[in-house]
């Protein structure tokens, strides 16, 4: 029996474009652009200078603070320069340009035995490897492996829903790297000191479900939960509700209801760091949309410019209209093909006018459709109006900071109002004002 949550939408899935495309390695680019901010928290501190030689896997920037992560070079080469760029998520970051050499040397860590490795060693390895969450927020993973001692954690939930249309990266993980996924989950369980693991997957992935059922047949502490295909099933609060029946109250975290959630891609990164000694230097991503000549699933060195990826996929069709980093619901529209892929990039979409038609904005119809689909029972039109007219205190009072920016309201708005974009504006503006007051 499948379970789910209240609200949500079911956009056209479009996963058939790449679901049967196995991962391919993108050829190494001649030049890499590594942003020092690829994670939540403060950007990393650069350890190198212009002209320095670096090896593949070598740490070139160290964490700055608790919620920060190191950056490693994905290629062997030489530091060309530092510069300032706009990342795929729209934030400005210092970045390092590395010119690749023809020498193939690496500086990987010592492999560890996943069966005998100690809990503390796993956490330290994940921290050293610079692993960040693959679900979109890019939160440093080692922090989530150490739950507060006063919180009793019952479950580690592995998020394999991949509810965004077009994206099939997580699906390919389940099909091609099943053992890595399960071993990664076991490492998470050991590190977090949790006994039970649950894998949540939507019911539109029957082949992956069958494969997981076979692998998990003899696993007593890991179970599979098949969920109804619906967006945003992969959001933390929705997934916890669907899998355990527990509700995360506004302002609280999964820890507070006894759960830890990691993305299936994060489990694979943890496996690679522990078993192979590899830091997070590659991004696994889907390249799709009707505007790209040859959709693919790729393994790409972090720091690769979008242009290299698009060229490898045959280029852009004449009717392409929009390029998006991430999924179409929560992704970011791009304007510069020199922008680089980061650790948490899950997809690059090239959409045509038919796929991204846009609707001419009109006045709110008061139809209530945004209310009916909001998974968190918020009032998107009121949040939008308060944000648009800079009435942030009123917006906060009705749940502005609770909104997870899933975009369900905007998708369902017949008036074409960019509701989530205005809510996002309100959240960031009010947070900046609050920070000014406290400083």
């Amino acid at each position: 029996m499948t379970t789910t949550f209240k609200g949500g939408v079911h956009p056209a899935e479009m996963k058939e474009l790449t679901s049967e495309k196995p991962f391919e390695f993108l050829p190494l680019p001649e030049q890499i652009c590594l942003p020092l901010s690829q994670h939540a928290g403060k950007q990393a501190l650069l350890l190198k200078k212009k002209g320095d030689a670096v090896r593949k896997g070598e740490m070139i920037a160290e964490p700055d603070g608790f919620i920060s992560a190191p950056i490693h070079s994905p290629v062997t080469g030489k530091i060309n320069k530092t510069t300032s760029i706009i990342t795929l998520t729209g934030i400005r970051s210092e970045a390092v340009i590395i010119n690749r050499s023809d020498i193939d040397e690496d500086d990987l860590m010592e492999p560890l035995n996943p069966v005998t490795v100690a809990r503390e060693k796993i956490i330290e390895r994940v921290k050293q490897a610079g692993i960040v969450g693959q679900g979109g927020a890019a939160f440093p993973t080692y922090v989530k492996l150490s739950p507060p001692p006063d919180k009793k954690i019952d479950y580690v939930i592995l998020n394999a829903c991949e509810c965004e249309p077009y994206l099939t990266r997580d699906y390919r993980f389940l099909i091609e790297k099943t053992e890595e996924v399960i071993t990664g989950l076991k490492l998470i369980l050991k590190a977090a000191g949790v006994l039970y693991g649950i894998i949540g997957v939507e019911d539109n992935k029957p082949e992956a479900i069958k494969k997981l059922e076979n692998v998990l047949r003899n696993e007593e502490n890991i179970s599979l939960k098949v969920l109804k295909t619906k967006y945003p099933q992969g959001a933390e609060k929705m997934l916890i509700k669907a899998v355990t029946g527990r509700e995360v109250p506004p302002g609280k975290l999964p820890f507070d209801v006894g759960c830890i959630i990691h993305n299936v891609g994060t489990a694979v990164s943890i496996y690679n760091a522990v078993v192979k000694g590899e830091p997070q230097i590659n991004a696994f991503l889907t390249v799709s949309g009707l505007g790209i000549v040859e959709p693919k699933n790729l393994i790409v060195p972090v720091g690769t410019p979008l242009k290299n990826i698009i060229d490898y996929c045959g280029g852009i069709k004449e009717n392409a209209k929009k390029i998006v980093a991430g999924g179409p619901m929560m992704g970011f529209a791009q304007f510069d093909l020199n922008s680089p892929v980061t650790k948490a990039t899950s997809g690059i979409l090239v959409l045509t006018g038919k796929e991204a038609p846009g609707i001419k904005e009109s006045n709110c119809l008061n139809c209530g459709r945004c209310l009916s689909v909001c998974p968190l029972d918020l009032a998107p039109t009121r949040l939008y109006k308060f944000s648009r007219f800079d009435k942030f205190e009123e917006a906060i009072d009705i749940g502005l900071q609770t909104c997870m920016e899933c975009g369900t309201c905007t998708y369902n708005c017949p008036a074409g109002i960019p509701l989530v974009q205005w809510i996002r504006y309100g959240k960031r503006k009010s947070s900046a004002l609050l920070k000014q007051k406290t400083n």
Side-chain angles (χ1 to χ4, degrees):
M1 177 181 174
T2 57
T3 57
T4 187
F5 62 94
K6 178 188 172 188
V9 293
H10 190 170
E13 296 177 19
M14 302 298 287
K15 293 180 184 286
E16 67 278 5
L17 294 174
T18 55
S19 59
E20 302 307 315
K21 301 284 185 73
F23 283 120
E24 296 178 36
F25 279 95
L26 184 87
L28 292 175
E30 293 299 315
Q31 197 169 70
I32 288 286
C33 176
L34 279 181
L36 299 183
S37 184
Q38 300 190 39
H39 46 265
K42 295 173 70 175
Q43 76 174 23
L45 297 171
L46 187 60
L47 301 171
K48 300 287 184 179
K49 62 182 184 303
K50 181 178 179 180
D52 283 353
V54 296
R55 289 186 294 174
K56 175 184 173 183
E58 182 179 354
M59 184 189 296
I60 64 164
E62 63 182 6
D64 183 15
F66 181 58
I67 305 176
S68 184
I71 308 290
H72 302 77
S73 177
V75 296
T76 296
K78 187 173 286 188
I79 303 288
N80 177 290
K81 64 178 180 178
T82 59
T83 186
S84 177
I85 66 163
I86 301 294
T87 67
L88 296 184
T89 56
I91 66 166
R92 183 167 289 281
S93 171
E94 187 180 355
V96 181
I97 307 296
I98 301 175
N99 289 342
R100 180 175 67 83
S101 71
D102 294 330
I103 301 171
D104 189 21
E105 292 180 338
D106 62 49
D107 188 20
L108 304 183
M109 297 171 283
E110 176 192 3
L112 303 172
N113 185 324
V115 177
T116 59
V117 63
R119 168 179 187 268
E120 295 78 10
K121 192 74 174 176
I122 298 170
I123 296 172
E124 183 59 26
R125 174 56 60 90
V126 170
K127 184 178 181 180
Q128 289 177 346
I131 296 174
V132 301
Q134 297 293 291
F139 196 81
T141 299
Y142 87 93
V143 180
K144 289 175 71 174
L145 294 182
S146 307
D150 63 327
K151 304 292 184 185
K152 182 181 181 302
I153 307 300
D154 302 309
Y155 305 108
V156 168
I157 301 172
L158 207 57
N159 184 356
C161 291
E162 200 166 47
C163 59
E164 280 264 14
Y166 292 93
L167 303 185
T168 57
R169 177 197 70 163
D170 291 358
Y171 174 71
R172 295 310 309 179
F173 277 138
L174 299 176
I175 296 293
E176 297 182 49
K177 300 182 180 297
T178 318
E179 291 295 339
E180 289 94 326
V181 169
I182 302 302
T183 302
L185 175 54
K186 288 179 179 178
L187 289 166
I188 295 171
L189 288 168
K190 182 188 282 188
V194 180
L195 187 58
Y196 296 106
I198 304 173
I199 301 175
V201 59
E202 287 187 315
D203 60 5
N204 63 347
K205 303 174 182 62
E207 187 178 347
I209 292 168
K210 186 178 178 182
K211 195 154 189 178
L212 286 169
E213 286 175 339
N214 288 334
V215 173
L216 295 177
R217 191 161 293 158
N218 298 318
E219 299 287 349
E220 294 182 357
N221 297 335
I222 301 176
S223 59
L224 181 66
K225 198 79 171 180
V226 179
L227 309 167
K228 184 177 179 180
T229 298
K230 189 166 66 169
Y231 180 85
Q233 185 66 80
E236 281 191 342
K237 291 184 178 182
M238 294 12 320
L239 184 56
I240 291 172
K241 173 68 176 175
V243 168
T244 69
R246 302 177 183 182
E247 292 193 14
V248 182
K252 299 293 183 182
L253 298 169
F255 284 151
D256 295 303
V257 295
C259 297
I260 296 174
I261 293 187
H262 287 280
N263 182 269
V264 64
T266 309
V268 174
S269 294
I270 291 173
Y271 171 91
N272 288 337
V274 173
V275 179
K276 297 181 178 177
E278 288 182 0
Q280 196 167 14
I281 54 176
N282 288 317
F284 293 74
L285 52 85
T286 298
V287 185
S288 190
L290 297 178
I292 191 83
V293 171
E294 191 175 355
K296 293 176 180 291
N297 283 300
L298 296 176
I299 303 172
V300 177
V302 171
T304 300
L306 294 185
K307 183 177 186 307
N308 292 57
I309 297 169
I310 289 171
D311 287 347
Y312 184 69
C313 293
I316 293 172
K317 295 180 182 175
E318 287 186 0
N319 59 347
K321 179 182 179 184
K322 190 175 185 180
I323 297 176
V324 176
M329 302 296 284
M330 293 189 73
F332 296 83
Q334 302 300 307
F335 61 90
D336 185 355
L337 295 185
N338 292 311
S339 297
V341 164
T342 57
K343 295 178 183 179
T345 304
S346 58
I348 303 297
L349 306 183
V350 183
L351 306 176
T352 64
K354 182 180 177 183
E355 296 168 289
I359 302 173
K360 188 177 180 181
E361 183 178 344
S362 61
N363 292 332
C364 175
L365 306 174
N366 293 316
C367 64
R369 287 173 63 173
C370 60
L371 287 166
S372 67
V373 298
C374 177
L376 297 177
D377 283 331
L378 298 174
T381 47
R382 294 189 68 202
L383 290 172
Y384 139 71
K385 288 175 182 174
F386 283 142
S387 296
R388 184 165 188 169
F389 296 106
D390 291 351
K391 295 182 179 297
F392 303 122
E393 290 187 4
E394 290 91 333
I396 290 171
D397 286 343
I398 61 168
L400 178 67
Q401 297 298 340
T402 302
C403 173
M404 59 182 171
E405 305 175 25
C406 68
T408 301
C409 54
T410 301
Y411 175 81
N412 217 37
C413 177
I417 300 172
L419 295 166
V420 71
Q421 286 80 0
W422 278 111
I423 293 171
R424 189 178 291 159
Y425 163 81
K427 288 177 69 175
R428 293 182 181 174
K429 202 76 176 173
S430 60
S431 295
L433 291 174
L434 183 62
K435 194 174 178 182
Q436 282 181 4
K437 285 182 181 177
T438 53
N439 287 339

